[in-house]
Amino acid sequence: MKKFILILTMLNLVIQVSAQVTGKVVDGKQSPIPYVSCVLLSIPDSTFVSGTVTNMDGYFELPVQQGHYIIQFSYLGYKTTELECTNGDLGIVTLKEDAVALQEVVVEGELPLVKMENNRLTYNTRAILNRKIVSNAHDLIRELPSVMSLDGNSLSVVGATSTTICISGKLSQLDMNHLTDYLKSLPADEVEKVEVIYNAPPQWHVKGSVINVVMKKKKNYTLNGQVQGSWSNQHENSFDFGGTVITSTPKWDFDLMYKYADLRNISRTETDGIHTIGNILYEISSIAENFSKENRHSIYTNIGYKFNDNTSLSLSYNGLISPQKNSELYSLNTMFSDANSINKGNNNLHNLALAYTSQKGISAGVEYMNYTDAGTQDMEILNDGSFQQTFSYWRKQSIDKARAYFDMSHTLKNNWILNYGANYNYVSNYNEQENTDIQNGGENDYAKASEVNEHTAIAYIGFQKSFFNGKLSFNASLSGELYKINDYKKNALLPNAEITFVPSNKHIFQLSYNTLRTYPTYWQRQDFTSYSDEYTVYMGNPLLKPARTSNVNLTYVLKSKYIFQASYYRVNDFFIEQSYQMPNELKLLYKSFNIDYTSNLTFTSIIPVNIGKWFSSNLVLSAYNERYKSNDWYGYKYDRSKWTGMVMANNSFTISQKPKISANLMLFYRTPTIQGIWDLESNWGANVGIRYSFLKDNAILSLQCNDVFESIYPKTKVRFETQNQDVSQNAYNRNITLSFTYKFKGYKDKGHKEVDTSRFGIQ
């Protein structure tokens, strides 16, 4: 520890104060010019120091050390302009038109779709908005070649083990339902760019890959927003409506989003199995249909104060309130009586976060979240032509989570960058359960209460450096993680490294390696038992351990469009839930276990295709080998692997320019694969939709149908030792949605210038 403190002390002795060069680039009419190249050169040798481009409002910022520089501005059709600078705000920089160049030739080019900025694949959202009808940020992200969405709602990075969505670099503690609501309520033209990071450094406080939605920075008086509503049918009718208001002044920002949803859903699972007990075989078939309904209120609000261009303080609140969340599961079974499971409950999530960023490289924040989930389950079985109640089960889960973090970045001599920081998470999870055994006169009654206290502390240190005028960059860090949950303790060192090589604008290479730890949900670690019928039982496992993932990824980007990847990951102590036909009684058990490991070797090609202005497609080709190994799964051993291929095409057709009408068609096919002891058959799917933009592109009417042929989920087969089952879940998955969005833009003064609930409970 003393050596570590000594090293930090020596490093701080060579730290130099970093500053910023900022400004705004406009044309002769004082209109902002986006995507102007801004290059910082040293004096007197004109050596490249750093570079950037202006945002959609013409603003730019460049980090510099104390000294004298030349900043060069260049853009097609304008004369190159050079200014001497030190640091601070240059104010308004006016570019003059290059009259000779404009008279000589007219150039119509294609905007580069993707480029590498700060070791991140950065997508030009302007190129997408110019070609396609996009109503919100969620639709915009789905159009990115590196992002996959098979069901039209989920978002994941192609080739990544896990994906986290951040907003302007901030990690949200929201569950995916709330985050999806937020993205669908966010106007697409409020997004400046979208970054895809395959290997997030520790200062992001994220595990795995990241989709970072970067919002536009406002430095004037604006009032924008949108209202929207939709009706959908997934064999049951649902609807939602809501709105978003985004306003700013030179010093203040304020965002407000609200959405109400009345959701109805139906699902069906068909199971055929042969259950072996001793030498006797029992053929058991069942059909389970689940009808659910839920009222959901989603709220997001944020207020921010800007001390200057790079120093700000923000306070945000997120709320997800479901006062009525009910479902009824009806099961028909050839061996047992028909059963009816009636579930009633509610859950609430409240999240409050305070964040501070400084131009001196400081980022800090505190966060508090409370999540509660309560409900009852009443089980009835059909006996002599009528339903009789067998048991009544009540549960309540309450989670309090506190988080604090501090990150620091310094620019050292020779443009080395030092990053270090720490974050601490504390979680208190209190769980209560009561079961009343009505069928057996209280023989199996029980009442349980348990409390789980989880502590996670992480500290890290890392370095960044660019060489050869920015063509080669290196980023490495080491994190120390201390984890404690009740009596279980585990410490770990987690390295992270990334090398990016850009020999020219046409070629980008990136090699990354990282390790991370993932944790089971709090509900998985509870000591609980629940039933969906007389045959099927679910149990928690308090002995589940965290899993450790090692991941290496090689990415090549050709001509700012085509992406080719090779990646490999291995997850030790991988936790997985598989069905198990018990050998001593007719019970089908679902319980999570740690297996030795799973691994995956993947090769992926992402190929955008454009034909004129009427057709574009993102083609994804993938081949991967998946392996699962366990030395003790209910006393069995297995080591299984299989090669799988997948092809996906996300197609967009421009039907008409006036009026603006476009259609989309997503197609995918995957060959058979495996998951643990399960064999998954080949599966395929199709999503189709049409969009109409009118009222000067402020209104969008959309009709979308996802999983048209109800074929997106693969059929599952188990033929392992005595385990024998066939499972199908494809029924009732077709979803039709009709939505309307209207964007409004209010006052704009051009003259002024200045939450992981993936681990929470039952969803």
Side-chain angles (χ1 to χ4, degrees):
M1 184 66 184
K2 292 181 179 179
K3 291 183 178 180
F4 181 75
I5 295 174
L6 179 62
I7 293 172
L8 285 180
T9 304
M10 295 176 63
L11 288 171
N12 277 296
L13 292 175
V14 297
I15 290 173
Q16 296 197 357
V17 178
S18 62
Q20 298 277 343
V21 175
T22 61
K24 180 180 181 180
V25 181
V26 300
D27 60 17
K29 297 180 181 179
Q30 299 301 297
S31 298
I33 310 176
Y35 302 106
V36 175
S37 174
C38 311
V39 178
L40 197 66
L41 306 173
S42 63
I43 295 178
D45 55 3
S46 297
T47 301
F48 174 86
V49 177
S50 62
T52 187
V53 295
T54 57
N55 64 17
M56 295 300 293
D57 295 318
Y59 291 101
F60 69 91
E61 57 184 45
L62 283 164
V64 298
Q65 298 179 19
Q66 298 292 344
H68 292 275
Y69 303 92
I70 292 175
I71 185 167
Q72 186 181 84
F73 304 93
S74 58
Y75 191 71
L76 182 65
Y78 292 85
K79 293 181 178 179
T80 299
T81 300
E82 294 184 351
L83 297 174
E84 288 192 20
C85 64
T86 53
N87 60 68
D89 192 356
L90 294 180
I92 295 178
V93 179
T94 303
L95 298 189
K96 296 181 180 180
E97 290 186 0
D98 190 345
V100 175
L102 292 176
Q103 292 171 4
E104 295 280 344
V105 63
V106 176
V107 178
E108 183 176 337
E110 182 181 0
L111 291 171
L113 180 61
V114 61
K115 57 184 177 180
M116 188 68 70
E117 287 184 352
N118 299 321
N119 297 326
R120 309 165 193 172
L121 289 180
T122 303
Y123 281 92
N124 184 350
T125 57
R126 182 183 171 198
I128 297 173
L129 294 174
N130 285 347
R131 295 185 63 94
K132 301 182 180 182
I133 300 175
V134 177
S135 61
N136 54 61
H138 188 272
D139 290 344
L140 180 64
I141 296 171
R142 283 196 301 152
E143 296 293 343
L144 302 182
S146 293
V147 176
M148 182 168 61
S149 178
L150 298 183
D151 60 5
N153 280 311
S154 61
L155 301 169
S156 61
V157 175
V158 175
T161 57
S162 62
T163 300
T164 302
I165 298 176
C166 293
I167 307 298
S168 294
K170 295 180 181 179
L171 173 64
S172 171
Q173 297 296 327
L174 302 178
D175 67 7
M176 249 347 262
N177 287 332
H178 195 184
L179 195 55
T180 299
D181 286 344
Y182 175 75
L183 292 173
K184 289 184 176 181
S185 301
L186 193 63
D189 51 13
E190 292 293 328
V191 178
E192 181 175 337
K193 59 185 177 181
V194 179
E195 300 171 335
V196 173
I197 307 168
Y198 286 93
N199 179 25
Q203 56 265 37
W204 282 77
H205 308 294
V206 170
K207 298 175 180 179
S209 64
V210 174
I211 299 173
N212 184 34
V213 183
V214 181
M215 307 302 297
K216 292 180 180 178
K217 291 184 178 180
K218 302 292 197 314
K219 298 189 178 183
N220 47 21
Y221 293 90
T222 61
L223 175 62
N224 300 321
Q226 70 179 28
V227 292
Q228 61 182 33
S230 69
W231 163 87
S232 63
N233 179 278
Q234 190 170 334
H235 298 272
E236 290 286 333
N237 292 318
S238 301
F239 71 88
D240 63 69
F241 62 86
T244 303
V245 176
I246 300 173
T247 184
S248 67
T249 72
K251 287 293 184 181
W252 293 91
D253 292 320
F254 179 74
D255 301 345
L256 175 64
M257 183 275 285
Y258 171 76
K259 183 176 182 179
Y260 171 77
D262 187 302
L263 306 175
R264 301 287 188 273
N265 181 264
I266 181 172
S267 62
R268 178 186 177 103
T269 301
E270 300 177 10
T271 305
D272 297 303
I274 299 177
H275 196 137
T276 301
I277 296 182
N279 295 321
I280 303 175
L281 304 181
Y282 297 89
E283 293 188 11
I284 303 176
S285 298
S286 66
I287 298 176
E289 290 193 348
N290 186 60
F291 301 85
S292 64
K293 59 181 180 179
E294 175 185 359
N295 295 324
R296 182 193 300 165
H297 302 268
S298 300
I299 306 167
Y300 170 80
T301 183
N302 177 79
I303 185 168
Y305 179 75
K306 295 168 284 190
F307 297 93
N308 54 49
D309 288 344
N310 299 291
T311 303
S312 63
L313 182 69
S314 66
L315 178 66
S316 64
Y317 165 78
N318 297 283
L320 185 62
I321 302 168
S322 298
Q324 297 181 23
K325 192 172 183 180
N326 304 328
S327 66
E328 185 172 343
L329 178 65
Y330 188 82
S331 300
L332 293 85
N333 195 293
T334 57
M335 180 66 65
F336 298 92
S337 301
D338 294 353
N340 196 27
S341 175
I342 303 170
N343 297 270
K344 297 182 179 180
N346 61 81
N347 59 44
N348 301 283
L349 181 148
H350 302 282
N351 177 266
L352 193 65
L354 181 67
Y356 172 77
T357 57
S358 167
Q359 64 181 4
K360 295 182 180 180
I362 299 173
S363 177
V366 292
E367 190 170 359
Y368 170 75
M369 179 170 56
N370 173 263
Y371 173 82
T372 59
D373 176 72
T376 61
Q377 179 189 12
D378 294 313
M379 176 67 74
E380 302 173 338
I381 61 172
L382 189 64
N383 189 4
D384 295 330
S386 63
F387 279 101
Q388 297 179 1
Q389 191 170 3
T390 59
F391 70 82
S392 180
Y393 173 76
W394 173 84
R395 74 174 192 281
K396 183 177 182 180
Q397 183 183 37
S398 179
I399 297 174
D400 291 289
K401 180 175 182 179
R403 172 176 176 254
Y405 65 91
F406 176 84
D407 302 294
M408 190 73 191
S409 180
H410 296 288
T411 300
L412 310 178
K413 287 183 178 180
N414 301 319
N415 288 325
W416 280 87
I417 297 176
L418 168 67
N419 301 306
Y420 59 89
N423 71 84
Y424 170 73
N425 287 273
Y426 169 73
V427 177
S428 174
N429 178 19
Y430 184 73
N431 181 273
E432 296 177 89
Q433 305 173 59
E434 292 182 6
N435 185 75
T436 304
D437 185 358
I438 301 172
Q439 186 179 30
N440 299 308
E443 179 180 343
N444 297 311
D445 286 0
Y446 66 82
K448 297 180 181 179
S450 62
E451 184 174 2
V452 174
N453 293 294
E454 181 186 66
H455 304 263
T456 308
I458 300 174
Y460 71 89
I461 184 169
F463 293 91
Q464 294 175 245
K465 172 65 175 174
S466 295
F467 305 90
F468 310 115
N469 295 329
K471 291 184 177 180
L472 178 67
S473 61
F474 174 74
N475 184 356
S477 63
L478 181 65
S479 300
E481 181 175 295
L482 285 70
Y483 178 77
K484 180 179 183 295
I485 181 167
N486 289 354
D487 295 330
Y488 176 84
K489 298 179 181 179
K490 183 72 174 180
N491 302 330
L493 288 176
L494 306 174
N496 187 311
E498 190 171 66
I499 299 175
T500 303
F501 179 50
V502 187
S504 69
N505 292 333
K506 293 183 178 180
H507 304 281
I508 300 172
F509 299 88
Q510 187 176 78
L511 176 65
S512 64
Y513 170 80
N514 73 316
T515 55
L516 56 93
R517 301 207 321 156
T518 53
Y519 305 94
T521 69
Y522 301 117
W523 190 254
Q524 283 176 305
R525 296 191 85 257
Q526 293 296 326
D527 182 15
F528 75 91
T529 302
S530 65
Y531 297 83
S532 61
D533 53 38
E534 288 184 278
Y535 180 56
T536 308
V537 59
Y538 297 85
M539 296 181 65
N541 185 357
L543 300 179
L544 279 180
K545 299 182 293 185
R548 181 182 175 114
T549 301
S550 298
N551 186 16
V552 61
N553 186 85
L554 176 63
T555 302
Y556 169 55
V557 182
L558 174 64
K559 296 182 179 180
S560 299
K561 292 175 61 175
Y562 309 105
I563 302 174
F564 304 93
Q565 291 177 311
S567 63
Y568 174 80
Y569 71 79
R570 173 171 167 147
V571 186
N572 292 330
D573 293 323
F574 180 69
F575 39 87
I576 186 172
E577 183 182 73
Q578 306 260 260
S579 60
Y580 176 61
Q581 295 166 318
M582 299 178 68
N584 53 355
E585 62 177 322
L586 289 175
K587 293 291 185 183
L588 180 65
L589 174 62
Y590 286 88
K591 185 177 182 178
S592 296
F593 281 94
N594 292 106
I595 65 173
D596 293 359
Y597 70 86
T598 182
S599 64
N600 186 297
L601 174 64
T602 303
F603 300 95
T604 304
S605 299
I606 304 172
I607 305 173
V609 178
N610 294 321
I611 301 178
K613 295 183 178 180
W614 68 274
F615 175 78
S616 63
S617 177
N618 296 325
L619 181 64
V620 178
L621 304 172
S622 181
Y624 59 93
N625 179 269
E626 201 157 13
R627 182 179 181 183
Y628 296 86
K629 184 178 185 299
S630 177
N631 279 320
D632 184 12
W633 183 78
Y634 294 103
Y636 295 118
K637 295 182 179 180
Y638 62 81
D639 187 354
R640 311 182 71 224
S641 64
K642 187 177 182 62
W643 277 98
T644 302
M646 189 197 76
V647 57
M648 184 189 75
N650 191 12
N651 309 295
S652 180
F653 304 85
T654 300
I655 299 174
S656 170
Q657 290 284 358
K658 292 185 179 180
K660 279 190 173 181
I661 303 175
S662 68
N664 61 80
L665 174 63
M666 191 284 292
L667 300 169
F668 90 95
Y669 173 77
R670 188 185 65 179
T671 62
T673 187
I674 61 171
Q675 184 177 343
I677 64 167
W678 292 351
D679 292 305
L680 280 61
E681 294 184 354
S682 61
N683 61 312
W684 63 284
N687 301 335
V688 62
I690 187 168
R691 294 173 183 168
Y692 169 43
S693 177
F694 55 103
L695 295 180
K696 298 181 179 180
D697 293 336
N698 290 321
I700 296 176
L701 186 64
S702 172
L703 179 63
Q704 182 74 27
C705 182
N706 294 324
D707 198 6
V708 178
F709 302 101
E710 296 188 330
S711 56
I712 196 171
Y713 293 105
K715 294 182 179 180
T716 302
K717 287 188 176 182
V718 181
R719 299 292 187 273
F720 176 75
E721 298 292 343
T722 60
Q723 304 296 304
N724 187 314
Q725 271 191 304
D726 294 340
V727 182
S728 175
Q729 295 179 305
N730 268 317
Y732 302 124
N733 287 317
R734 183 185 302 109
N735 181 283
I736 302 173
T737 301
L738 177 65
S739 64
F740 172 77
T741 302
Y742 180 76
K743 299 179 290 184
F744 61 85
K745 295 183 178 182
Y747 177 76
K748 183 175 182 180
D749 182 1
K750 297 182 179 180
H752 285 75
K753 171 182 172 287
E754 296 280 344
V755 80
D756 163 42
T757 62
S758 62
R759 298 177 63 203
F760 287 3
I762 300 173
Q763 301 297 323

